[in-house]
Short mmCIF file of all heavy atoms in Angstrom, two decimals:
data_model
loop_
_atom_site.label_atom_id
_atom_site.label_comp_id
_atom_site.label_asym_id
_atom_site.label_seq_id
_atom_site.Cartn_x
_atom_site.Cartn_y
_atom_site.Cartn_z
N MET A 1 24.70 0.13 14.59
CA MET A 1 24.02 -0.98 13.95
C MET A 1 23.18 -0.39 12.73
O MET A 1 23.15 -1.09 11.77
CB MET A 1 23.04 -1.59 14.97
CG MET A 1 22.21 -2.70 14.41
SD MET A 1 21.28 -3.49 15.69
CE MET A 1 20.22 -4.41 14.71
N LEU A 2 22.62 0.76 12.88
CA LEU A 2 21.83 1.22 11.81
C LEU A 2 22.60 2.27 11.01
O LEU A 2 22.05 3.15 10.35
CB LEU A 2 20.54 1.87 12.31
CG LEU A 2 19.54 0.90 12.99
CD1 LEU A 2 18.37 1.75 13.49
CD2 LEU A 2 19.08 -0.12 11.96
N SER A 3 23.94 2.22 10.92
CA SER A 3 24.73 3.19 10.23
C SER A 3 24.45 3.20 8.77
O SER A 3 24.56 4.24 8.12
CB SER A 3 26.25 2.98 10.50
OG SER A 3 26.63 1.69 10.02
N LEU A 4 24.11 2.00 8.21
CA LEU A 4 23.79 1.98 6.76
C LEU A 4 22.46 2.72 6.42
O LEU A 4 22.37 3.31 5.41
CB LEU A 4 23.66 0.53 6.32
CG LEU A 4 23.33 0.26 4.89
CD1 LEU A 4 24.46 0.77 4.00
CD2 LEU A 4 23.02 -1.21 4.64
N PHE A 5 21.60 2.74 7.34
CA PHE A 5 20.26 3.28 7.12
C PHE A 5 20.04 4.67 7.73
O PHE A 5 18.90 5.15 7.69
CB PHE A 5 19.19 2.32 7.73
CG PHE A 5 19.27 0.96 7.10
CD1 PHE A 5 19.84 -0.06 7.84
CD2 PHE A 5 18.94 0.78 5.75
CE1 PHE A 5 19.88 -1.33 7.25
CE2 PHE A 5 19.01 -0.48 5.20
CZ PHE A 5 19.53 -1.56 5.89
N THR A 6 21.08 5.28 8.28
CA THR A 6 20.90 6.58 8.87
C THR A 6 20.65 7.63 7.80
O THR A 6 20.06 8.69 8.11
CB THR A 6 22.12 6.98 9.65
OG1 THR A 6 23.30 6.91 8.88
CG2 THR A 6 22.25 6.06 10.90
N SER A 7 21.12 7.50 6.57
CA SER A 7 20.90 8.45 5.56
C SER A 7 19.60 8.38 4.88
O SER A 7 19.19 9.16 3.99
CB SER A 7 22.11 8.45 4.59
OG SER A 7 21.99 7.18 3.84
N ILE A 8 18.81 7.30 5.15
CA ILE A 8 17.56 7.07 4.51
C ILE A 8 16.50 7.93 5.15
O ILE A 8 16.28 7.84 6.33
CB ILE A 8 17.17 5.54 4.53
CG1 ILE A 8 18.10 4.70 3.80
CG2 ILE A 8 15.76 5.38 4.01
CD1 ILE A 8 17.82 3.25 3.81
N GLN A 9 15.78 8.69 4.40
CA GLN A 9 14.73 9.49 4.93
C GLN A 9 13.42 8.75 4.66
O GLN A 9 13.35 7.91 3.76
CB GLN A 9 14.63 10.90 4.17
CG GLN A 9 15.95 11.72 4.31
CD GLN A 9 16.14 12.23 5.81
OE1 GLN A 9 15.14 12.46 6.46
NE2 GLN A 9 17.29 12.25 6.23
N ILE A 10 12.38 9.03 5.37
CA ILE A 10 11.13 8.31 5.17
C ILE A 10 10.48 8.65 3.80
O ILE A 10 9.79 7.77 3.24
CB ILE A 10 10.17 8.67 6.35
CG1 ILE A 10 8.91 7.73 6.29
CG2 ILE A 10 9.70 10.04 6.27
CD1 ILE A 10 9.22 6.32 6.61
N PHE A 11 10.83 9.80 3.22
CA PHE A 11 10.28 10.19 2.04
C PHE A 11 10.83 9.42 0.87
O PHE A 11 10.25 9.32 -0.18
CB PHE A 11 10.41 11.66 1.81
CG PHE A 11 9.68 12.53 2.84
CD1 PHE A 11 10.35 13.30 3.69
CD2 PHE A 11 8.32 12.54 2.91
CE1 PHE A 11 9.70 14.04 4.64
CE2 PHE A 11 7.67 13.28 3.80
CZ PHE A 11 8.35 14.05 4.73
N ASP A 12 11.99 8.85 1.08
CA ASP A 12 12.62 8.00 0.02
C ASP A 12 11.75 6.73 -0.27
O ASP A 12 11.81 6.22 -1.35
CB ASP A 12 13.99 7.54 0.41
CG ASP A 12 14.99 8.78 0.41
OD1 ASP A 12 14.61 9.78 -0.22
OD2 ASP A 12 16.03 8.65 1.05
N PHE A 13 11.06 6.29 0.73
CA PHE A 13 10.25 5.11 0.50
C PHE A 13 9.00 5.38 -0.25
O PHE A 13 8.41 4.44 -0.85
CB PHE A 13 9.81 4.50 1.93
CG PHE A 13 10.91 3.92 2.64
CD1 PHE A 13 11.46 4.45 3.74
CD2 PHE A 13 11.61 2.77 2.17
CE1 PHE A 13 12.51 3.91 4.48
CE2 PHE A 13 12.68 2.12 2.84
CZ PHE A 13 13.10 2.73 4.02
N PHE A 14 8.58 6.65 -0.37
CA PHE A 14 7.37 6.99 -1.13
C PHE A 14 7.64 6.80 -2.69
O PHE A 14 6.68 6.66 -3.37
CB PHE A 14 7.01 8.40 -0.89
CG PHE A 14 6.48 8.65 0.49
CD1 PHE A 14 6.72 9.73 1.24
CD2 PHE A 14 5.54 7.67 1.00
CE1 PHE A 14 6.21 9.96 2.52
CE2 PHE A 14 5.05 7.86 2.31
CZ PHE A 14 5.32 9.02 2.99
N TYR A 15 8.86 6.72 -3.10
CA TYR A 15 9.14 6.49 -4.49
C TYR A 15 8.75 4.98 -4.83
O TYR A 15 8.49 4.68 -6.03
CB TYR A 15 10.59 6.66 -4.89
CG TYR A 15 10.99 8.14 -4.79
CD1 TYR A 15 11.88 8.62 -3.94
CD2 TYR A 15 10.51 9.00 -5.70
CE1 TYR A 15 12.25 9.91 -3.83
CE2 TYR A 15 10.84 10.31 -5.68
CZ TYR A 15 11.70 10.76 -4.74
OH TYR A 15 12.09 12.06 -4.71
N ALA A 16 8.69 4.18 -3.91
CA ALA A 16 8.36 2.67 -4.19
C ALA A 16 6.84 2.50 -4.38
O ALA A 16 6.55 1.53 -4.98
CB ALA A 16 8.86 1.88 -3.01
N ILE A 17 6.08 3.37 -3.91
CA ILE A 17 4.64 3.13 -3.98
C ILE A 17 4.12 3.13 -5.41
O ILE A 17 3.46 2.17 -5.80
CB ILE A 17 3.86 4.24 -3.17
CG1 ILE A 17 4.15 4.09 -1.67
CG2 ILE A 17 2.35 4.19 -3.40
CD1 ILE A 17 3.64 5.18 -0.79
N PRO A 18 4.37 4.08 -6.29
CA PRO A 18 3.93 4.03 -7.64
C PRO A 18 4.54 2.89 -8.40
O PRO A 18 3.93 2.23 -9.34
CB PRO A 18 4.27 5.29 -8.32
CG PRO A 18 5.13 6.08 -7.34
CD PRO A 18 5.04 5.42 -6.01
N LEU A 19 5.80 2.55 -8.10
CA LEU A 19 6.46 1.34 -8.78
C LEU A 19 5.73 0.06 -8.40
O LEU A 19 5.57 -0.73 -9.21
CB LEU A 19 7.94 1.33 -8.40
CG LEU A 19 8.73 2.46 -8.92
CD1 LEU A 19 10.16 2.41 -8.31
CD2 LEU A 19 8.80 2.46 -10.42
N ILE A 20 5.49 -0.07 -7.11
CA ILE A 20 4.78 -1.36 -6.63
C ILE A 20 3.36 -1.44 -7.28
O ILE A 20 3.01 -2.47 -7.74
CB ILE A 20 4.71 -1.37 -5.16
CG1 ILE A 20 6.17 -1.62 -4.57
CG2 ILE A 20 3.83 -2.49 -4.58
CD1 ILE A 20 6.23 -1.48 -3.07
N LEU A 21 2.64 -0.33 -7.21
CA LEU A 21 1.20 -0.34 -7.74
C LEU A 21 1.23 -0.59 -9.27
O LEU A 21 0.41 -1.34 -9.75
CB LEU A 21 0.53 0.95 -7.37
CG LEU A 21 0.19 1.13 -5.92
CD1 LEU A 21 -0.46 2.43 -5.65
CD2 LEU A 21 -0.72 0.00 -5.42
N GLY A 22 2.08 0.08 -9.90
CA GLY A 22 2.21 -0.03 -11.46
C GLY A 22 2.52 -1.46 -11.77
O GLY A 22 1.91 -2.10 -12.62
N THR A 23 3.55 -2.02 -11.13
CA THR A 23 3.92 -3.42 -11.46
C THR A 23 2.86 -4.40 -11.12
O THR A 23 2.57 -5.30 -11.86
CB THR A 23 5.20 -3.82 -10.61
OG1 THR A 23 6.28 -2.82 -10.89
CG2 THR A 23 5.70 -5.17 -10.93
N SER A 24 2.17 -4.17 -10.02
CA SER A 24 1.13 -5.13 -9.55
C SER A 24 -0.09 -5.08 -10.49
O SER A 24 -0.56 -6.26 -10.84
CB SER A 24 0.66 -4.76 -8.12
OG SER A 24 1.66 -4.77 -7.25
N PHE A 25 -0.51 -3.92 -10.83
CA PHE A 25 -1.66 -3.87 -11.71
C PHE A 25 -1.30 -4.36 -13.18
O PHE A 25 -2.22 -4.92 -13.82
CB PHE A 25 -2.32 -2.50 -11.69
CG PHE A 25 -3.06 -2.26 -10.49
CD1 PHE A 25 -2.65 -1.31 -9.55
CD2 PHE A 25 -4.21 -2.90 -10.22
CE1 PHE A 25 -3.31 -1.08 -8.37
CE2 PHE A 25 -4.99 -2.72 -8.98
CZ PHE A 25 -4.48 -1.80 -8.12
N VAL A 26 -0.21 -4.12 -13.69
CA VAL A 26 0.17 -4.63 -14.95
C VAL A 26 0.25 -6.11 -14.95
O VAL A 26 -0.19 -6.83 -15.85
CB VAL A 26 1.53 -3.99 -15.51
CG1 VAL A 26 2.11 -4.76 -16.71
CG2 VAL A 26 1.32 -2.50 -15.81
N TYR A 27 0.82 -6.67 -13.86
CA TYR A 27 0.93 -8.12 -13.76
C TYR A 27 -0.43 -8.75 -13.67
O TYR A 27 -0.73 -9.80 -14.27
CB TYR A 27 1.75 -8.51 -12.54
CG TYR A 27 1.86 -9.99 -12.28
CD1 TYR A 27 2.75 -10.74 -13.01
CD2 TYR A 27 1.12 -10.57 -11.32
CE1 TYR A 27 2.79 -12.06 -12.78
CE2 TYR A 27 1.18 -11.96 -11.11
CZ TYR A 27 2.02 -12.75 -11.80
OH TYR A 27 2.12 -14.07 -11.67
N ALA A 28 -1.36 -8.11 -12.83
CA ALA A 28 -2.72 -8.65 -12.69
C ALA A 28 -3.46 -8.53 -14.06
O ALA A 28 -4.23 -9.38 -14.29
CB ALA A 28 -3.46 -7.90 -11.61
N ALA A 29 -3.23 -7.48 -14.78
CA ALA A 29 -3.91 -7.21 -16.06
C ALA A 29 -3.45 -8.33 -17.07
O ALA A 29 -4.26 -8.64 -17.95
CB ALA A 29 -3.68 -5.92 -16.63
N THR A 30 -2.26 -8.83 -16.91
CA THR A 30 -1.81 -9.84 -17.89
C THR A 30 -2.43 -11.16 -17.58
O THR A 30 -2.44 -12.05 -18.48
CB THR A 30 -0.30 -9.98 -17.96
OG1 THR A 30 0.16 -10.31 -16.70
CG2 THR A 30 0.31 -8.61 -18.37
N ARG A 31 -2.90 -11.30 -16.37
CA ARG A 31 -3.47 -12.59 -15.95
C ARG A 31 -4.98 -12.65 -16.19
O ARG A 31 -5.54 -13.69 -16.47
CB ARG A 31 -3.13 -12.93 -14.47
CG ARG A 31 -1.72 -12.94 -14.16
CD ARG A 31 -1.07 -14.20 -14.69
NE ARG A 31 0.26 -14.19 -14.39
CZ ARG A 31 1.14 -14.84 -15.13
NH1 ARG A 31 0.77 -15.52 -16.16
NH2 ARG A 31 2.40 -14.84 -14.88
N GLN A 32 -5.66 -11.54 -15.96
CA GLN A 32 -7.13 -11.43 -16.20
C GLN A 32 -7.42 -10.40 -17.18
O GLN A 32 -6.57 -9.51 -17.46
CB GLN A 32 -7.80 -11.16 -14.83
CG GLN A 32 -8.18 -12.30 -14.01
CD GLN A 32 -7.08 -12.72 -13.13
OE1 GLN A 32 -6.31 -12.04 -12.83
NE2 GLN A 32 -6.90 -14.04 -12.83
N GLU A 33 -8.66 -10.48 -17.78
CA GLU A 33 -9.08 -9.41 -18.62
C GLU A 33 -10.30 -8.61 -18.13
O GLU A 33 -10.54 -7.56 -18.62
CB GLU A 33 -9.45 -10.00 -19.92
CG GLU A 33 -8.26 -10.56 -20.69
CD GLU A 33 -8.44 -10.88 -22.15
OE1 GLU A 33 -9.51 -10.48 -22.69
OE2 GLU A 33 -7.66 -11.63 -22.75
N GLU A 34 -10.97 -9.10 -17.07
CA GLU A 34 -12.10 -8.46 -16.43
C GLU A 34 -11.65 -7.41 -15.44
O GLU A 34 -10.81 -7.78 -14.57
CB GLU A 34 -13.04 -9.44 -15.87
CG GLU A 34 -13.70 -10.30 -16.79
CD GLU A 34 -14.57 -11.38 -16.09
OE1 GLU A 34 -15.02 -11.12 -14.94
OE2 GLU A 34 -14.78 -12.40 -16.67
N MET A 35 -12.09 -6.13 -15.45
CA MET A 35 -11.66 -5.18 -14.53
C MET A 35 -11.99 -5.57 -13.16
O MET A 35 -11.31 -5.28 -12.16
CB MET A 35 -12.31 -3.89 -14.93
CG MET A 35 -11.72 -2.77 -14.12
SD MET A 35 -9.99 -2.53 -14.44
CE MET A 35 -9.85 -0.85 -14.83
N SER A 36 -13.13 -6.32 -12.97
CA SER A 36 -13.56 -6.73 -11.58
C SER A 36 -12.58 -7.63 -11.00
O SER A 36 -12.51 -7.88 -9.72
CB SER A 36 -14.97 -7.32 -11.60
OG SER A 36 -14.95 -8.45 -12.40
N ARG A 37 -11.78 -8.33 -11.78
CA ARG A 37 -10.79 -9.30 -11.28
C ARG A 37 -9.39 -8.70 -11.25
O ARG A 37 -8.48 -9.16 -10.53
CB ARG A 37 -10.77 -10.55 -12.18
CG ARG A 37 -12.12 -11.26 -12.01
CD ARG A 37 -12.12 -12.52 -12.83
NE ARG A 37 -11.41 -13.51 -12.14
CZ ARG A 37 -11.19 -14.70 -12.66
NH1 ARG A 37 -11.51 -15.02 -13.87
NH2 ARG A 37 -10.54 -15.59 -11.88
N ILE A 38 -9.12 -7.67 -12.06
CA ILE A 38 -7.77 -7.03 -12.08
C ILE A 38 -7.55 -6.28 -10.83
O ILE A 38 -6.43 -6.36 -10.25
CB ILE A 38 -7.68 -6.10 -13.28
CG1 ILE A 38 -7.72 -6.91 -14.56
CG2 ILE A 38 -6.41 -5.23 -13.24
CD1 ILE A 38 -7.73 -6.04 -15.83
N ILE A 39 -8.51 -5.48 -10.30
CA ILE A 39 -8.24 -4.69 -9.10
C ILE A 39 -7.92 -5.50 -7.84
O ILE A 39 -6.95 -5.28 -7.19
CB ILE A 39 -9.39 -3.74 -8.87
CG1 ILE A 39 -9.43 -2.67 -10.08
CG2 ILE A 39 -9.22 -3.01 -7.54
CD1 ILE A 39 -10.65 -1.79 -10.04
N PRO A 40 -8.69 -6.52 -7.52
CA PRO A 40 -8.28 -7.40 -6.41
C PRO A 40 -6.97 -8.15 -6.60
O PRO A 40 -6.22 -8.26 -5.67
CB PRO A 40 -9.46 -8.41 -6.24
CG PRO A 40 -10.60 -7.75 -6.94
CD PRO A 40 -10.04 -6.93 -8.03
N GLY A 41 -6.76 -8.58 -7.79
CA GLY A 41 -5.50 -9.22 -8.10
C GLY A 41 -4.33 -8.26 -7.88
O GLY A 41 -3.26 -8.65 -7.43
N GLY A 42 -4.44 -7.01 -8.36
CA GLY A 42 -3.41 -6.05 -8.30
C GLY A 42 -3.06 -5.66 -6.82
O GLY A 42 -1.98 -5.56 -6.49
N ILE A 43 -4.16 -5.62 -6.01
CA ILE A 43 -3.98 -5.35 -4.57
C ILE A 43 -3.27 -6.51 -3.96
O ILE A 43 -2.37 -6.26 -3.13
CB ILE A 43 -5.36 -5.01 -3.93
CG1 ILE A 43 -5.89 -3.66 -4.49
CG2 ILE A 43 -5.22 -5.05 -2.37
CD1 ILE A 43 -7.28 -3.39 -4.12
N ARG A 44 -3.66 -7.73 -4.25
CA ARG A 44 -3.07 -8.90 -3.71
C ARG A 44 -1.58 -9.00 -4.08
O ARG A 44 -0.78 -9.24 -3.15
CB ARG A 44 -3.79 -10.14 -4.21
CG ARG A 44 -3.30 -11.40 -3.54
CD ARG A 44 -4.22 -12.59 -3.82
NE ARG A 44 -4.83 -12.61 -5.11
CZ ARG A 44 -6.16 -12.42 -5.46
NH1 ARG A 44 -6.96 -12.32 -4.47
NH2 ARG A 44 -6.58 -12.47 -6.60
N VAL A 45 -1.23 -8.75 -5.32
CA VAL A 45 0.16 -8.77 -5.71
C VAL A 45 0.95 -7.65 -5.09
O VAL A 45 2.14 -7.86 -4.64
CB VAL A 45 0.24 -8.75 -7.25
CG1 VAL A 45 1.69 -8.54 -7.69
CG2 VAL A 45 -0.31 -9.99 -7.91
N SER A 46 0.36 -6.48 -4.94
CA SER A 46 1.04 -5.39 -4.27
C SER A 46 1.36 -5.59 -2.83
O SER A 46 2.42 -5.28 -2.25
CB SER A 46 0.27 -4.02 -4.46
OG SER A 46 -0.92 -4.06 -3.68
N LEU A 47 0.43 -6.35 -2.12
CA LEU A 47 0.71 -6.76 -0.78
C LEU A 47 1.84 -7.79 -0.70
O LEU A 47 2.64 -7.74 0.19
CB LEU A 47 -0.54 -7.34 -0.10
CG LEU A 47 -1.68 -6.31 0.20
CD1 LEU A 47 -2.95 -6.98 0.60
CD2 LEU A 47 -1.18 -5.27 1.09
N TRP A 48 1.92 -8.72 -1.63
CA TRP A 48 3.06 -9.65 -1.69
C TRP A 48 4.32 -8.97 -1.86
O TRP A 48 5.33 -9.26 -1.24
CB TRP A 48 2.78 -10.71 -2.80
CG TRP A 48 1.93 -11.84 -2.36
CD1 TRP A 48 0.63 -12.01 -2.70
CD2 TRP A 48 2.33 -12.99 -1.70
NE1 TRP A 48 0.23 -13.20 -2.10
CE2 TRP A 48 1.31 -13.85 -1.54
CE3 TRP A 48 3.58 -13.46 -1.14
CZ2 TRP A 48 1.31 -15.13 -0.95
CZ3 TRP A 48 3.64 -14.63 -0.54
CH2 TRP A 48 2.52 -15.43 -0.43
N ILE A 49 4.35 -7.97 -2.83
CA ILE A 49 5.60 -7.32 -3.13
C ILE A 49 6.06 -6.46 -1.89
O ILE A 49 7.25 -6.45 -1.52
CB ILE A 49 5.46 -6.37 -4.38
CG1 ILE A 49 5.34 -7.29 -5.66
CG2 ILE A 49 6.67 -5.45 -4.53
CD1 ILE A 49 4.94 -6.51 -6.81
N THR A 50 5.10 -5.85 -1.28
CA THR A 50 5.42 -4.97 -0.12
C THR A 50 5.85 -5.81 1.03
O THR A 50 6.90 -5.49 1.71
CB THR A 50 4.19 -4.14 0.35
OG1 THR A 50 3.71 -3.39 -0.83
CG2 THR A 50 4.50 -3.27 1.50
N GLY A 51 5.29 -6.97 1.24
CA GLY A 51 5.75 -7.95 2.34
C GLY A 51 7.15 -8.41 2.04
O GLY A 51 7.91 -8.50 2.92
N PHE A 52 7.39 -8.74 0.75
CA PHE A 52 8.70 -9.22 0.37
C PHE A 52 9.83 -8.13 0.56
O PHE A 52 10.90 -8.45 1.12
CB PHE A 52 8.73 -9.74 -1.13
CG PHE A 52 10.03 -10.22 -1.49
CD1 PHE A 52 10.50 -11.43 -1.15
CD2 PHE A 52 10.82 -9.46 -2.41
CE1 PHE A 52 11.67 -11.89 -1.57
CE2 PHE A 52 12.01 -9.91 -2.83
CZ PHE A 52 12.45 -11.16 -2.46
N LEU A 53 9.51 -6.90 0.16
CA LEU A 53 10.44 -5.84 0.32
C LEU A 53 10.69 -5.57 1.87
O LEU A 53 11.80 -5.27 2.27
CB LEU A 53 9.99 -4.56 -0.38
CG LEU A 53 10.04 -4.66 -1.94
CD1 LEU A 53 9.40 -3.37 -2.51
CD2 LEU A 53 11.46 -4.84 -2.37
N ALA A 54 9.61 -5.64 2.60
CA ALA A 54 9.71 -5.36 4.07
C ALA A 54 10.59 -6.47 4.75
O ALA A 54 11.48 -6.17 5.58
CB ALA A 54 8.40 -5.24 4.71
N ALA A 55 10.42 -7.68 4.26
CA ALA A 55 11.25 -8.76 4.84
C ALA A 55 12.70 -8.67 4.46
O ALA A 55 13.57 -8.77 5.35
CB ALA A 55 10.70 -10.12 4.34
N ILE A 56 13.03 -8.22 3.27
CA ILE A 56 14.36 -8.01 2.84
C ILE A 56 14.93 -6.84 3.63
O ILE A 56 16.12 -6.88 4.06
CB ILE A 56 14.49 -7.67 1.31
CG1 ILE A 56 14.04 -8.94 0.56
CG2 ILE A 56 15.83 -7.29 0.94
CD1 ILE A 56 14.93 -10.21 0.80
N PHE A 57 14.19 -5.81 3.89
CA PHE A 57 14.54 -4.63 4.62
C PHE A 57 14.95 -5.06 5.95
O PHE A 57 16.04 -4.67 6.55
CB PHE A 57 13.56 -3.55 4.56
CG PHE A 57 13.99 -2.28 5.41
CD1 PHE A 57 14.86 -1.43 4.82
CD2 PHE A 57 13.43 -2.05 6.57
CE1 PHE A 57 15.34 -0.24 5.58
CE2 PHE A 57 13.82 -0.98 7.32
CZ PHE A 57 14.74 -0.03 6.85
N LEU A 58 14.12 -5.84 6.69
CA LEU A 58 14.40 -6.24 8.05
C LEU A 58 15.57 -7.13 8.15
O LEU A 58 16.39 -7.05 9.04
CB LEU A 58 13.13 -6.95 8.61
CG LEU A 58 11.97 -6.05 8.92
CD1 LEU A 58 10.76 -6.85 9.35
CD2 LEU A 58 12.33 -5.02 9.97
N LEU A 59 15.73 -7.96 7.10
CA LEU A 59 16.88 -8.89 7.14
C LEU A 59 18.23 -8.01 6.98
O LEU A 59 19.18 -8.28 7.62
CB LEU A 59 16.84 -9.73 5.92
CG LEU A 59 17.96 -10.76 5.78
CD1 LEU A 59 17.87 -11.83 6.92
CD2 LEU A 59 17.81 -11.55 4.46
N MET A 60 18.18 -7.00 6.15
CA MET A 60 19.34 -6.15 6.07
C MET A 60 19.59 -5.36 7.31
O MET A 60 20.76 -5.08 7.67
CB MET A 60 19.15 -5.14 4.86
CG MET A 60 19.26 -5.87 3.53
SD MET A 60 18.93 -4.76 2.12
CE MET A 60 20.17 -3.52 2.33
N VAL A 61 18.55 -4.94 7.96
CA VAL A 61 18.75 -4.16 9.28
C VAL A 61 19.39 -5.11 10.26
O VAL A 61 20.25 -4.73 11.08
CB VAL A 61 17.41 -3.65 9.79
CG1 VAL A 61 17.54 -3.22 11.22
CG2 VAL A 61 16.97 -2.53 8.94
N ILE A 62 18.98 -6.38 10.26
CA ILE A 62 19.50 -7.41 11.26
C ILE A 62 20.97 -7.64 10.91
O ILE A 62 21.76 -7.73 11.83
CB ILE A 62 18.70 -8.61 11.29
CG1 ILE A 62 17.29 -8.30 11.92
CG2 ILE A 62 19.39 -9.75 12.06
CD1 ILE A 62 16.32 -9.42 11.75
N ILE A 63 21.29 -7.86 9.64
CA ILE A 63 22.68 -8.22 9.30
C ILE A 63 23.62 -7.09 9.43
O ILE A 63 24.73 -7.25 9.94
CB ILE A 63 22.64 -8.74 7.78
CG1 ILE A 63 21.97 -10.07 7.76
CG2 ILE A 63 24.12 -8.81 7.32
CD1 ILE A 63 21.83 -10.60 6.34
N PHE A 64 23.19 -5.87 8.96
CA PHE A 64 24.13 -4.73 9.03
C PHE A 64 23.94 -3.94 10.25
O PHE A 64 24.40 -2.96 10.58
CB PHE A 64 23.96 -3.82 7.69
CG PHE A 64 24.37 -4.63 6.51
CD1 PHE A 64 23.35 -4.93 5.67
CD2 PHE A 64 25.64 -4.98 6.31
CE1 PHE A 64 23.66 -5.62 4.40
CE2 PHE A 64 25.99 -5.64 5.10
CZ PHE A 64 24.94 -5.98 4.18
#
């Protein structure tokens, strides 16, 4: 069942962390200009992206 994911090491997921954070904070910075609003917005967007990626990953585990 997990034959597709047997070659994935846990350290491969660490590459997603800077990509998610960078994308989230750039997106939040384009929406607000105050630093006090950028940081919470970036954290909120990063949680949305992480949740979406986790849902897609679980869907792929179930299907494959």
